[in-house]
Amino acid sequence: MSYKRILNCFVILFFLFQISFGAEIYANKGKDYLVTAFGAVADGKTVNTKAIQKAIDAANKNKGGRVVFSKGKFLSGSIVLKSGVELFFEGGAVLLGSTDVNDYPKYEGRRALVVATASKNISISGKGIIDGQGRELALAIDSLHHTGVRIDPEYNYRRLRPGDGRGKLVSFVKCDSIKVTGITVKNSSGWVTCFEQSSNIVVDYVTVESRAYWNNDGIDINGCENVRVTNCNVNSADDGICLKSDSAGLQNNNIYIANCSIRSSASAVKFGTGSYGSFKNVTIENIKVYDTFRSAIAIESVDGAEIENIKVSNIVAVNTGNAILIRLGHRNGVKPGYIKNVSIKNVKVQVPFGRPDIDYDLRGPEVDYFHNPFPASIAGIPGHAIENVTLENIEIIYPGRASKGMAYLPLSRLKDVLENEKGYPEFTMFGELPSWGFYVRHVDGIEMKNIKLVLKKEDFRPAFVFDDVKGLQMEKIDVPSDKVNQIIFKDVPSSNLDAEALKRKREPVQNTFVLPTK
């Protein structure tokens, strides 16, 4: 046999080997691992779970690399992201979640399309999309429950929605060094992007478009440290960006959230509701909120959480149900936590008359009682006051139109405002409130400087009610000029309301009124 024929045979054998084991050869050649080289098909119909997982495993085995999704739709069930691996999506690439619940087995006790546990140096990036097809998945689960094929023990009959099995879109637990950049995540059946007990997290220029089903929290941070969430656009059918502490000992520390736009059928930026651990050293700035059902900023400790050193600034919210809620409650039988050292500055909010998410396809739940428009609330509980709150450069535009025929709680009955210590924390939780601007109760140390409250229509209630408040300082307070008794004190032992506190075109007869003590 001639040398040339031997060489040709060798070449033929090489290519045959490459066809059979091409994925492994390609993987060993460099840092990129095309999912198509591992057998994935971008037709939106073929289930590619095994092929994608094979690419991830190969990258992990070879000390890391990029698992690349080219243009097309790659249908998949749960995939496990491992240390050193980046999921990279080219423009036009879509990871499409399966609508078959059997494609989402529990991994370390949870379900998600992209899941990771105790991994390091993991990333999701690119210009593509992760689409969970969450509504279709949730309705399939719902149908399986009602036909008796797959009974959901957590099924919510009151709200007609399944619990177990819906899962999340992205779930990273006990991971270190995470980057999620540039990607669009959409249509989850449950929470969208979730980071739990993890550290050193960067989420940057991520678009969340998830109004597929209930509980579509946009970005959840649960007991994490050293986190940056920046330049994100969130449109979610539940809380937009949410800090949680769902079990005792979980610490949220050194969190930075900035330059984000949020629309939500719940609250825009929220601490809680799960609040068993701590939230410390959190900075939130340069946030735009619009068409949001609940609060622009909600800071809640109701399960014993320690919340301190919180800085919020430069918030603009249009057509948003409530400006600010700070709530220290006591539910679930645990020892009350605390909220202290909170600074909120440079905030402008426009509150509409009626629900702000009327055009949203998944609207927030209505309250079941008659009420007038709600004020911002800062409220602790008896014996456990919120401490050291600073509000500066705040402007809130309220709709007015309150009517005593709709609901009426006279100032002589401030004791009848619900404490609701164990209630779900929300600005509607106290029932009808006796003020239209701010309701402040059980607070020790609050400074309000340069506060402007505007009414579009008449409201018979005062702008401010302070009940059991110590260390109150008010400076440069601007309220409508044609009303009297705008500031009501009850059990306020001392306050510093300076001569310039109430700025107006003309001074009314009386600006403050002190109710008798108990």
Side-chain angles (χ1 to χ4, degrees), residues 431-502:
E432 175 68 6
L433 285 171
S435 58
W436 60 266
F438 274 90
Y439 176 73
V440 182
R441 180 169 60 176
H442 308 312
V443 176
D444 187 354
I446 179 168
E447 180 181 357
M448 308 182 81
K449 181 178 181 181
N450 196 18
I451 309 296
K452 182 178 181 180
L453 303 181
V454 178
L455 275 177
K456 285 188 174 182
K457 300 289 185 179
E458 176 63 22
D459 197 307
F460 65 86
R461 301 168 296 178
F464 298 87
V465 168
F466 297 93
D467 185 355
D468 184 26
V469 175
K470 300 176 182 177
L472 171 64
Q473 298 185 52
M474 303 183 76
E475 180 181 349
K476 296 182 179 179
I477 308 299
D478 189 342
V479 292
S481 60
D482 58 347
K483 291 174 67 67
V484 298
N485 298 337
Q486 286 282 57
I487 302 175
I488 303 299
F489 294 154
K490 178 177 181 291
D491 295 331
V492 179
S494 64
S495 63
N496 179 14
L497 182 63
D498 71 6
E500 297 294 321
L502 286 153

Side-chain angles (χ1 to χ4, degrees), residues 19-182:
I19 291 171
S20 300
F21 303 95
E24 285 76 6
I25 288 176
Y26 182 82
N28 288 327
K29 282 181 66 177
K31 289 290 185 180
D32 281 358
Y33 303 78
L34 272 66
V35 294
T36 51
F38 290 79
V41 180
D43 60 1
K45 299 177 181 179
T46 304
V47 179
N48 295 295
T49 311
K50 291 183 179 180
I52 296 170
Q53 192 62 56
K54 193 174 182 180
I56 293 171
D57 293 345
N60 170 256
K61 183 179 179 180
N62 288 283
K63 299 182 180 179
R66 295 198 316 174
V67 171
V68 179
F69 293 81
S70 55
K71 184 177 180 180
K73 294 182 178 180
F74 296 89
L75 185 67
S76 178
S78 290
I79 57 175
V80 181
L81 189 55
K82 298 182 178 180
S83 293
V85 179
E86 173 185 2
L87 300 184
F88 179 77
F89 293 83
E90 296 179 350
V94 180
L95 175 61
L96 197 62
S98 170
T99 59
D100 184 348
V101 67
N102 295 307
D103 288 332
Y104 299 91
K106 282 191 175 181
Y107 179 76
E108 301 288 340
R110 66 192 190 283
R111 305 179 197 274
L113 178 57
V114 182
V115 62
T117 299
S119 295
K120 295 182 179 180
N121 300 315
I122 56 177
S123 176
I124 302 175
S125 66
K127 297 181 179 180
I129 297 171
I130 301 177
D131 183 345
Q133 299 196 98
R135 185 172 296 179
E136 295 85 348
L137 174 60
L139 292 178
I141 296 169
D142 188 88
S143 178
L144 291 173
H145 173 79
H146 288 290
T147 56
V149 175
R150 189 186 182 104
I151 299 299
D152 180 359
E154 299 177 9
Y155 194 89
N156 188 325
Y157 284 95
R158 175 173 171 266
R159 295 183 174 180
L160 295 178
R161 65 188 187 194
D164 183 53
R166 282 193 290 144
K168 304 174 176 67
L169 199 63
V170 176
S171 178
F172 295 158
V173 177
K174 297 180 180 178
C175 295
D176 182 28
S177 299
I178 301 168
K179 286 187 178 180
V180 182
T181 58

Side-chain angles (χ1 to χ4, degrees), residues 17 76 84 129 133 142 151 165 189 201 213 246 275 281 291 326 381 396 408 451 460 494 511:
F17 182 82
S76 178
I129 297 171
Q133 299 196 98
D142 188 88
I151 299 299
S189 59
I201 303 168
Y213 209 66
D246 280 340
S275 48
N281 306 316
D291 299 348
I326 304 178
I381 55 178
I396 308 175
Y408 182 44
I451 309 296
F460 65 86
S494 64
N511 297 315

Side-chain angles (χ1 to χ4, degrees), residues 2-15:
S2 68
Y3 173 79
K4 184 177 289 188
R5 292 185 64 184
I6 294 173
L7 181 61
N8 287 338
C9 289
F10 178 80
V11 170
I12 292 170
L13 288 171
F14 175 80
F15 278 107

